[in-house]
């Protein structure tokens, strides 16, 4: 087994440098307008003293301790770890996209503005919404922005009693957290035995205090909320709005549109559905789309086309304002735009078909070896439970996940959704072929057998990684969050 | 007819699909969607362009990109929060390692040690340059980091009012407003005198309700603020002091930690991140040790395995949304990891001396440009206070006109301040980074000094 990589601070030598800079080519002037002693930094910087080759080798070795989509199967449920097309990286790095300043005169960035305008239009077409803001930087940021729009809408109508946001118990944790960020009271909606929102329970929770309902469809169990039309009607009937968490849009591209289901506000995760690489945890992008009556509340500016020229429209008196600087994660927008153009309408439909086919095929192969909490066709991801292994031989979802690492796979999402005990949430995506799914299914079956025959093999897994299972509880008890010499 | 071009990212062949459908007992792909009620099935064909082959796509994208004026084709004196600093080639080469850019949030630490260790090193460097005790693993951008710091200060102090300097970036102030007022808390601004925060006005407005005093340094005008005096006022009233700082300037300027700040935030874009039309950049957020459990976002810590070997894992997750749901410190989940890693690479390359040299070059060149422009007689300095790499001039020629003439000579001029500061209709904010050569500065001076046409 390899030794862990040293920290960059544990390398180098005093006086070693990794930079080169030109000498100062302007005449140097005395200092009256510059910082006096009062403003000067007192302590020296403790940054590393390393050469360029040290830096390149260090980070290259670090990269080799990571697992990426380009290396292998990454069935992380709800995260849609599909393949990230290489050409998107090439085009996003064109200097006409990567080397432009957000405050340049509009006439010098017509290409970038056109791209944003067209992307907004494409996302509207795909989701059935009236218009989009591309400003939010991530899914949760989109949720918060969407909820601001809902809040601004009710406030505009002087409907100020609406303090509650309804969230299903199976929802992503970001949903309740985003609602709380805006001072909303979160009301949990229990799922029924079919794994979907119970219409009668929902109706009993609706009132004049309901600002809205947040829903993922298909939901986090990988199931389509087939009562979505009556659900949306009930919420609208109570005066609330319906919010669509777009984390699972991959399943329904070209098959069904949130706008047609009655959703008023939608956020999309461009880093999921539209194949932007996730960067080890960002940057992503979380554009927000709205129905016609909510368009005036979108964050500003909005790109508009007038007389053949693209403009940034800041004159939007009802806008919720800004949630970040400039216009959003433009670099991510470029990748999503390129992806949609690569696929076209028929290609996006193929995405949904293959994603759903792959998930159902895997579910079918795992049935009988793992417990299936909701035995019905799934959408683009499936949830199985290790509770059978837990009961029979004390093996948890965590143990199964860690053992999968030994077999060369990135594990599925574990312990989510919260409503399923010992959950494994598996999302193969459309960019995997049948061969990969077969090998994965066989491995999962092998692990289930190992759980009975040699449980310690799972308890101690993973065995072949640079570090074995880490004690995260101890780490949180006495946190060490930075290097100290 | 299915166009074959779209299928290059989808491996299943028609034959394999048929086999899989058969295994499921289905006769067609349409049957996969039988759980979707008929009335919400999309019947038509999405009205989208494409599907383009890779060659068609590249030429389309190249044409779009070519219609933008990029900063390699001109001399840029525009800053206002996004700066044209040099990015060493090694930064992008490392970021292009697929193991960094195609991986997800490091939920399985044993096969994510690369991202985790890089973030731990990032946190250490942010603590070092800001003089703070703890840093999180990044925020969306400087504006949202400042907004999150405001929320954090309200929750720590149990107070509901935020006081912010009008000399903070206008877009950051808007983001603070959105975050805070939608939460039914209050924001109030205080003005500036000679380009610096107006301490008298601050004294008048600060109250026992004030959760935090927010200041940017150098501020939107490029001016260095009297941080210690502001910290003293905030603390005397039991409020926290939040400083939004420029990371390059910290090689020379007193750090937030040295100035008494409780929370330090800022935009990390100058640290090895391309301008990219405003994003993705990243924000940093660091604080005093005692506030660590109130911080938003992910934090990486050291964890040991059963053999006592050192490793890294996400830690203090009890603050985060996936555990605490509506009781989380923030809703932030996906952050800007790759941009933060870019900063760690950049800061490693520059090291303790390189960052100082970059900051000094910025200062010297900004100073040279300032003297040359004010020497023309056409521009007056707006303020007489110390600045770092950016400064405000008052122009006798309308700023719009001036910038148009410069553009004709492939120079991107300064930011017109009238939009955000109507009291300075002729205000022109210029930034000079280490990338601007003496020749470019002289050209700026020559063209700016020329007669308006």
């Amino acid at each position: 087994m390899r030794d862990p990589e040293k920290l960059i601070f544990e390398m180098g030598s005093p006086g070693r440098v990794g930079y080169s800079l030109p000498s100062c080519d302007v005449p140097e002037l005395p200092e009256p307008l510059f910082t006096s002693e009062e403003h000067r930094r007192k302590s020296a910087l403790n940054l590393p003293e390393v050469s360029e080759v040290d830096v390149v080798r260090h980070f290259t070795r670090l990269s080799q301790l990571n697992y990426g989509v380009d290396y292998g199967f990454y069935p992380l449920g709800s995260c849609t770890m599909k393949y990230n097309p290489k050409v998107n990286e090439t085009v996003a790095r064109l200097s006409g996209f990567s080397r432009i300043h957000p405050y340049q005169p509009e006439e010098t960035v017509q290409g970038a503005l056109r791209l944003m305008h067209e992307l907004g239009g494409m996302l509207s077409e795909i989701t059935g919404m009236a218009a989009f803001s591309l400003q939010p930087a991530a899914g949760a940021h989109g949720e918060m922005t969407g909820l601001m729009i809902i809040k601004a809408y009710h406030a505009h109508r002087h409907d100020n009693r609406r303090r509650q946001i309804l969230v299903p118990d199976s929802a992503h944790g970001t949903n309740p957290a985003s609602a709380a960020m805006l001072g909303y009271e979160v009301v949990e909606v229990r799922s029924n035995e079919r794994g979907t929102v119970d219409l009668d329970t929902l109706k009993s929770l609706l009132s004049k205090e309901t600002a809205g309902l947040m829903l993922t469809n298909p939901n986090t169990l990988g199931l389509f909320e087939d009562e979505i039309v009556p659900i949306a009607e009930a919420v609208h009937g109570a005066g609330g709005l319906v919010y669509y968490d777009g984390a699972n849009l991959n399943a329904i591209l070209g098959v069904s549109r949130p706008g047609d289901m009655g959703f008023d506000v939608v956020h999309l995760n461009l880093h999921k559905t539209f194949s932007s690489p996730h960067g080890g945890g960002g940057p992503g992008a979380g554009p927000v789309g709205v129905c016609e009556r909510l368009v005036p509340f979108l964050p500003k500016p909005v790109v508009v086309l007038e007389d053949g020229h693209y403009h940034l429209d800041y004159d939007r008196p009802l806008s919720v304002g800004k949630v970040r600087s400039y216009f959003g994660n433009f670099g991510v927008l470029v990748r999503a735009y390129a992806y949609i153009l690569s696929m076209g309408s028929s290609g996006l439909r193929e995405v949904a078909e293959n994603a759903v086919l792959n998930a159902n095929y895997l579910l079918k192969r795992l049935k009988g070896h793992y417990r299936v909490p909701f035995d019905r066709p799934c959408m683009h991801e499936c949830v199985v439970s290790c509770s059978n292994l837990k009961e029979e031989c004390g093996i948890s979802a965590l143990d199964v996940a860690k053992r999968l690492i030994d077999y060369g796979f990135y594990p599925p999402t574990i312990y989510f959704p919260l409503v399923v005990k010992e959950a494994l949430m598996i999302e193969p995506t459309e960019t995997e072929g049948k061969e990969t799914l077969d090998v994965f299914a066989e491995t999962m079956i092998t692990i289930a057998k190992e759980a009975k025959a040699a449980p310690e093999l799972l308890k101690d897994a993973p065995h072949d990684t640079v570090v074995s299972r880490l004690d995260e509880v101890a780490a949180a008890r006495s946190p060490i969050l930075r290097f100290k010499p | 007819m299915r166009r074959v071009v779209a299928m290059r990212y989808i491996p299943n062949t028609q034959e394999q699909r048929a086999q899989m459908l058969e295994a499921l007992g289905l006769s067609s792909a349409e049957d996969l969607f039988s759980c979707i009620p008929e009335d919400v099935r999309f019947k038509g064909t999405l009205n989208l362009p494409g599907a383009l082959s890779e060659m068609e796509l590249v030429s389309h994208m190249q044409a779009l990109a070519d219609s933008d004026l990029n900063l390699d084709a001109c001399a840029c004196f525009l800053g206002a929060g996004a700066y044209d600093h040099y990015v060493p080639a090694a930064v992008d080469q490392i970021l292009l390692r697929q193991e960094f850019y195609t991986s997800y949030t490091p939920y399985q630490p044993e096969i994510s040690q690369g991202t985790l260790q890089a973030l731990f090193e990032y946190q250490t460097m942010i603590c070092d340059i800001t003089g703070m005790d703890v840093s999180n693993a990044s925020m969306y951008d400087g504006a949202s980091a400042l907004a999150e710091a405001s929320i954090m200060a309200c929750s720590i102090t149990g107070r509901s009012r935020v006081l912010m300097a009008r000399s903070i970036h206008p877009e950051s102030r808007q983001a603070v407003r959105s975050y805070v007022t939608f939460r039914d808390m209050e924001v109030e601004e205080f003005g500036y005198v000679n380009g610096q925060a107006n301490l008298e006005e601050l004294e008048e407005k600060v109250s026992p309700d004030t959760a935090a005093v927010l200041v940017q340094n150098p501020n939107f005008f490029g001016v260095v603020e009297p941080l210690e005096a502001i910290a003293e006022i905030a603390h005397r009233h039991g409020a926290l002091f939040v400083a939004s700082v420029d990371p390059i300037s910290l090689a020379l300027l007193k750090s937030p930690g040295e100035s008494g700040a409780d929370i330090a935030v800022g935009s990390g874009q100058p640290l090895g991140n391309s301008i990219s039309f405003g994003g993705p950049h990243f924000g940093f957020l660091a604080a005093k040790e005692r506030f660590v459990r109130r911080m938003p976002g992910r934090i990486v810590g050291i964890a040991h395995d059963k053999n006592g070997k050192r490793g890294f894992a996400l830690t203090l997750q009890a603050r985060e949304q996936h555990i605490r749901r509506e009781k989380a410190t923030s809703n932030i989940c996906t952050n800007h990891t790759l941009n933060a890693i870019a900063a760690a690479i950049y800061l490693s390359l520059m090291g303790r001396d390189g960052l100082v040299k970059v900051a000094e070059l910025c200062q010297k060149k900004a100073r040279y440009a300032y003297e040359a422009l004010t020497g023309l007689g056409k521009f007056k300095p707006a303020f007489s206070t110390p600045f770092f790499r950016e400064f405000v001039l008052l122009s006798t020629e309308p700023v719009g006109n001036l910038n148009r003439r410069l553009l004709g000579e492939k120079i991107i001029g300064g930011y017109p301040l009238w939009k955000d500061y109507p009291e300075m209709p002729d205000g022109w904010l210029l930034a000079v980074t280490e990338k601007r050569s003496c020749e470019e500065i002289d050209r700026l001076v020559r063209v700016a000094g020329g007669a308006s046409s």
Side-chain angles (χ1 to χ4, degrees), chain A residues 341-401:
Chain A
L341 286 185
S342 296
M343 303 308 283
S345 176
S346 59
L348 292 182
R349 167 101 195 179
E350 296 285 341
V351 166
E353 284 181 9
N354 282 281
V356 175
L357 178 63
N358 282 354
N360 278 288
Y361 180 74
L362 257 188
L363 181 63
K364 170 95 180 173
R365 291 220 47 182
L366 296 178
K367 215 179 277 183
H369 304 278
Y370 291 85
R371 201 165 271 167
V372 176
F374 300 97
D375 197 2
R376 50 184 276 206
C378 62
M379 297 296 285
H380 66 308
E381 59 196 0
C382 60
V383 177
V384 301
S385 166
C386 302
S387 59
N388 55 328
L389 303 181
K390 186 86 181 177
E391 287 157 19
E392 287 169 43
C393 35
I395 289 300
S396 65
L398 182 72
D399 299 328
V400 172

Side-chain angles (χ1 to χ4, degrees), chain A residues 254-322:
Chain A
V255 177
S256 187
R257 308 194 304 172
D260 301 337
M261 299 179 205
F263 285 95
D264 302 288
V265 187
V266 165
H267 93 257
L268 303 180
N269 302 72
L270 297 188
H271 48 286
K272 297 182 181 177
T273 315
F274 299 99
S275 84
S276 284
H278 199 63
V288 167
V290 292
C291 62
E292 199 67 53
R293 66 185 156 149
L294 298 179
V295 173
F297 301 99
L298 284 174
K300 60 184 174 184
V302 169
V303 183
V304 294
L305 176 62
E306 278 165 13
D307 308 326
H309 290 275
Y310 296 92
H311 301 284
L312 289 160
D313 179 15
Y314 285 88
D315 185 18
R316 305 180 65 82
L318 295 181
S319 166
V320 296
K322 292 190 78 74

Side-chain angles (χ1 to χ4, degrees), chain A residues 434-482:
Chain A
K434 180 173 178 293
E435 300 90 331
T436 305
L437 305 182
D438 283 333
V439 175
F440 179 76
E442 279 148 26
T443 306
M444 287 287 288
I445 294 164
T446 302
I447 291 173
K449 287 177 185 155
E450 285 179 346
K452 288 157 200 165
E456 66 290 346
L457 209 52
L458 278 70
K459 291 261 179 221
D460 290 340
H463 300 273
D464 304 324
T465 43
V466 66
V467 287
S468 60
R469 216 182 285 192
L470 293 162
D471 188 347
E472 297 181 42
V473 177
R477 208 176 297 128
S478 43
I480 304 169
L481 310 175
R482 60 181 289 194

